[in-house]
Amino acid sequence: MKPEEIPLLHALGTPTISPDGKHAIVAVTRPDLDADEYRGGLWLVPSDGSAEPRRLTGGPNDADPAYSPDGAWLAFVRGGDGAKPQLYVMPTGGGEPRKVTGQPLGAGSPAWSPDSRRLAFVARVPEEGRYGDGEPGKERPRRITGFQFRRDNLGFFIDRRAHVFVVDPFADDPSPTRVTEGDFDHGEVTWSPDGSLLAFVAARHDERDSTLTGDVWVCAPDGSELRRVTATDLAVAAPRFTPDGDAVCFLGADAGSDGRRLVCRNLGLWLAPLGGGAARRLTDEERFHVAESSYVPTAGGVLVTVENRGAKDLLRVPYAGTEPDVLIDGPREVTAVAHAAGVTVATVADTRTPGELVALREEGETTLTSFGRDLDVLPIEEVTGTAPDGYPVHGWIVRPAGAGPHPVLLMIHGGPFTQYGWHVFDEAQVYASAGYAVVMGNPRGSSGYGQAHGRHILGDVGRLSAVDLLTLLDAALATGGLDASRAGVLGGSHGGFMTTWLAAHHGERFRAAISERALNAIDSFHGSSDIGWSFTRDLYGEDPASWVEQAPLTHADKIEIPFMIIHSEHDWRCPVEQAQRLFVKLRLRGVETEMLLFPGEGHELSRSGLPSHRVARFEAILDWWGRHL
């Protein structure tokens, strides 16, 4: 795979199923290098596999489809070509889409009322004189009184709060009605089965700006009878009513006694009764980390995706919280799920495709699409090393074609509480296709291996992570065909943190390094990052004096190998000063150092940045390795 082939990498959204279970509709999105945008349309897929998928809409960028409960209508979000995303509705029997919103900052995903007559959605409401209503450089100053006022890839949000709206899409002139009020953000709205209630998440408590906790709220569709159904002791997301309407499921994690502790904690599935009583966790806190993707309450239990050693399994979790049933497992990743009329459709990625639709029925499993058929990918080889304390460190090798010996790249993921897994990963494929063996894995600190695995590194991140990463590299080298004398190390975010750490403490193992969007100086990250105020103390410990020793920047005077820094100018997760401080320190010492800065991009450049920037980044990385390995 070459950098310019990223348009072959499609992404599937969450599917929707017709009420009779006969059809699924899914958004398929790809990078478009000519337009330098992402283009996507909706595809109609028979759920029994009896016919080829058929393109339903032409975009330019359509997403988040939702069948109406009566099956007669399809709602979706349309954006692209510089337009704000808005809601559209079209008849499922054929016809032109009709625009039903004109929100100044765009509209979120649609949710149909049970009678198929109304849509609920979330949209940001700008303060007067901001965000297009006046000159940006002449806006009045923002008055900030709490920690939470901006977010990477979004920007400032305290002056454009997210609110719930309801609209009649069939009115002659659809006019959304605002349901929520106040200086709060609301999100992820859904309807009760009888249409009498809306549920959503919001942090409306007095300490909302200094904690990570929030609540699930319900109200009537006109905004009356507002009440919370949780106890403001969890970080919460994605409410869904149970089929009987007696309770609300949601995703949540314990944020600790001060409401600020979420690092390396498993996200769980919870159930809150509407009639009163405490919410209870349905998934085991130690074993299961629920992936932040779609999930579906059904009559027989909740369909939910959990991380598992690089895989993402689809489980059916009983409402009693007993042992779940495994519906899809193995070396693949379920990224979204939908269910209707006894038919389950999931988006599933594996080592050959970024994702396909799969249908589950009593008689078995059927793959419905082949959107990734044009991809030519290299295989993934599993490898496990044994750390000095006997702990197994799990990972993979993506090898170039041919016998080798090949130069080696140790690639480190961000987070740290996330995982590499069983899917087509563009980075590994591009580097391996260029002749480099890519070693990647999930050392302690990663998710998907139990909560204790993730929390092992707290308070001593660099040193403890390095032990497992070097264990994995040694295990890969022991398989043969790799050249240990031509090794490089690279990673982004936490992976960049560890790249700098390894270059300083174990530089003899590597010829060169690339650190991307990294946290390098813990003290300044604490105050400059959008998450620094909570993340720093949780991951690196309570004592600011210990942050100095743990910071990679402190040890940069030990770095002697050529070092490349990649960063985005608008990164607010790891602000650009993190790159600049490291660049200046290395250059002043005479270390061969380059810095590549991307304008207009945030922390997610490598995954969702402009297609032209993603290609330019790949080209710069390959040029660097070509010069040094």
Side-chain angles (χ1 to χ4, degrees):
M1 182 179 179
K2 295 181 173 62
E4 62 271 18
E5 293 178 320
I6 62 170
L8 297 177
L9 293 169
H10 67 274
L12 297 188
T14 299
T16 182
I17 305 182
S18 59
D20 60 9
K22 293 183 178 180
H23 293 90
I25 295 175
V26 67
V28 183
T29 304
R30 299 178 188 269
D32 184 328
L33 289 176
D34 292 331
D36 205 13
E37 288 193 10
Y38 292 85
R39 301 293 198 189
L42 305 182
W43 290 72
L44 181 71
V45 184
S47 66
D48 61 0
S50 60
E52 288 294 311
R54 176 172 63 87
R55 184 151 189 166
L56 196 61
T57 68
N61 199 352
D62 299 338
D64 300 331
Y67 265 109
S68 63
D70 63 8
W73 301 92
L74 180 73
F76 61 95
V77 176
R78 170 167 288 177
D81 287 343
K84 300 294 184 184
Q86 303 293 348
L87 296 190
Y88 284 72
V89 168
M90 64 183 291
T92 54
E96 289 297 315
R98 181 187 187 216
K99 183 179 176 182
V100 298
T101 65
Q103 299 299 122
L105 299 182
S109 305
W112 283 101
S113 61
D115 62 4
S116 302
R117 298 303 306 168
R118 293 170 292 176
L119 289 169
F121 64 95
V122 173
R124 291 197 171 273
V125 180
E127 285 184 359
E128 185 179 352
R130 297 193 192 274
Y131 303 102
D133 186 16
E135 294 185 49
K138 295 184 178 180
E139 294 176 351
R140 63 187 180 278
R142 294 177 173 90
R143 186 177 297 277
I144 296 168
T145 59
F147 296 127
Q148 303 191 61
F149 56 91
R150 62 190 170 110
R151 189 174 305 134
D152 185 70
N153 219 33
L154 172 63
F156 292 98
F157 57 82
I158 55 173
D159 46 18
R160 46 173 169 163
R161 292 296 191 184
H163 287 282
V164 175
F165 291 81
V166 171
V167 65
D168 175 1
F170 308 111
D172 292 338
D173 183 17
S175 179
T177 300
R178 183 164 149 179
V179 174
T180 56
E181 299 291 341
D183 187 22
F184 319 108
D185 275 318
H186 307 80
E188 303 175 289
V189 64
T190 189
W191 294 82
S192 65
D194 63 2
S196 65
L197 293 174
L198 295 171
F200 50 87
V201 295
R204 298 171 61 101
H205 53 290
D206 291 343
E207 296 79 24
R208 62 188 175 276
D209 287 330
S210 60
T211 71
L212 300 172
T213 56
D215 284 297
V216 176
W217 296 78
V218 296
C219 69
D222 63 0
S224 62
E225 303 176 42
L226 177 68
R227 61 187 176 95
R228 62 182 175 89
V229 297
T230 51
T232 324
D233 56 353
L234 303 169
V236 299
R240 305 279 189 274
F241 285 92
T242 55
D244 60 14
D246 290 340
V248 177
C249 296
F250 63 93
L251 305 183
D254 180 3
S257 59
D258 63 359
R260 302 181 186 180
R261 309 289 170 156
L262 284 179
V263 174
C264 302
R265 290 180 185 266
N266 279 347
L267 186 67
L269 175 68
W270 295 71
L271 185 74
L274 288 178
R280 55 187 176 88
R281 191 170 187 143
L282 301 184
T283 52
D284 182 82
E285 183 175 7
E286 170 54 34
R287 291 170 57 199
F288 297 121
H289 180 53
V290 176
E292 293 189 54
S293 58
S294 61
Y295 73 96
V296 182
T298 72
V302 185
L303 304 180
V304 67
T305 300
V306 300
E307 294 183 357
N308 179 18
R309 294 179 53 80
K312 291 181 181 177
D313 299 339
L314 180 63
L315 308 182
R316 182 171 52 226
V317 179
Y319 293 107
T322 51
E323 186 67 15
D325 300 317
V326 179
L327 303 184
I328 296 179
D329 61 358
R332 47 188 176 164
E333 299 182 35
V334 179
T335 57
V337 63
H339 180 86
V343 179
T344 297
V345 172
T347 59
V348 182
D350 60 27
T351 58
R352 296 159 307 203
T353 173
E356 306 296 346
L357 276 193
V358 170
L360 297 179
R361 287 184 168 86
E362 289 185 3
E363 56 269 27
E365 180 181 317
T366 305
T367 299
L368 305 176
T369 64
S370 56
F371 293 116
R373 59 182 171 271
D374 295 330
L375 272 175
D376 183 15
V377 296
L378 293 162
I380 294 178
E381 172 189 335
E382 205 167 7
V383 63
T384 300
T386 303
D389 64 355
Y391 195 85
V393 184
H394 180 224
W396 298 267
I397 307 170
V398 183
R399 295 178 187 266
H406 305 289
V408 186
L409 300 178
L410 175 62
M411 190 161 62
I412 309 168
H413 67 61
F417 198 60
T418 185
Q419 63 170 10
Y420 281 141
W422 296 99
H423 67 274
V424 175
F425 185 25
D426 61 340
E427 306 231 11
Q429 292 295 323
V430 167
Y431 306 148
S433 296
Y436 305 94
V438 179
V439 179
M440 57 186 190
N442 296 322
R444 279 171 283 190
S446 306
S447 58
Y449 298 75
Q451 194 161 255
H453 178 97
R455 298 184 68 77
H456 171 77
I457 65 171
L458 297 187
D460 196 2
V461 176
R463 186 181 66 84
L464 292 175
S465 298
V467 171
D468 282 7
L469 289 166
L470 294 177
T471 292
L472 183 63
L473 177 60
D474 287 337
L477 293 172
T479 65
L482 309 185
D483 186 352
S485 70
R486 291 186 293 155
V489 59
L490 75 163
S493 196
H494 166 73
F497 175 107
M498 286 308 307
T499 293
T500 311
W501 183 276
L502 288 172
H505 292 86
H506 304 279
E508 75 283 355
R509 300 292 305 268
F510 306 101
R511 277 200 188 177
I514 300 178
S515 172
E516 184 171 9
R517 61 183 184 275
L519 189 170
N520 292 306
I522 299 173
D523 56 350
S524 59
F525 172 89
H526 178 246
S528 63
S529 169
D530 61 344
I531 63 171
W533 61 277
S534 63
F535 183 93
T536 303
R537 290 182 180 274
D538 202 358
L539 184 58
Y540 304 110
E542 290 289 343
D543 183 8
S546 73
W547 300 348
V548 177
E549 176 60 27
Q550 292 187 67
L553 185 67
T554 300
H555 307 281
D557 55 359
K558 303 173 188 174
I559 295 176
E560 303 294 341
I561 60 175
F563 204 97
M564 185 180 195
I565 300 167
I566 301 176
H567 221 95
S568 296
E569 292 181 4
H570 294 174
D571 189 334
W572 281 1
R573 183 60 39 87
C574 293
V576 70
E577 56 91 11
Q578 295 285 311
Q580 293 166 330
R581 293 180 69 181
L582 180 60
F583 176 75
V584 169
K585 191 166 188 177
L586 293 179
R587 290 288 293 187
L588 286 174
R589 291 185 48 246
V591 176
E592 181 184 347
T593 311
E594 295 181 11
M595 182 163 61
L596 188 66
L597 284 180
F598 284 90
E601 299 286 1
H603 199 65
E604 298 300 307
L605 161 65
S606 65
R607 294 177 279 264
S608 59
L610 283 178
S612 62
H613 282 170
R614 290 176 63 184
V615 171
R617 170 184 169 272
F618 273 140
E619 290 173 344
I621 290 172
L622 292 178
D623 173 71
W624 180 262
W625 294 133
R627 283 187 275 149
H628 295 291
L629 299 190

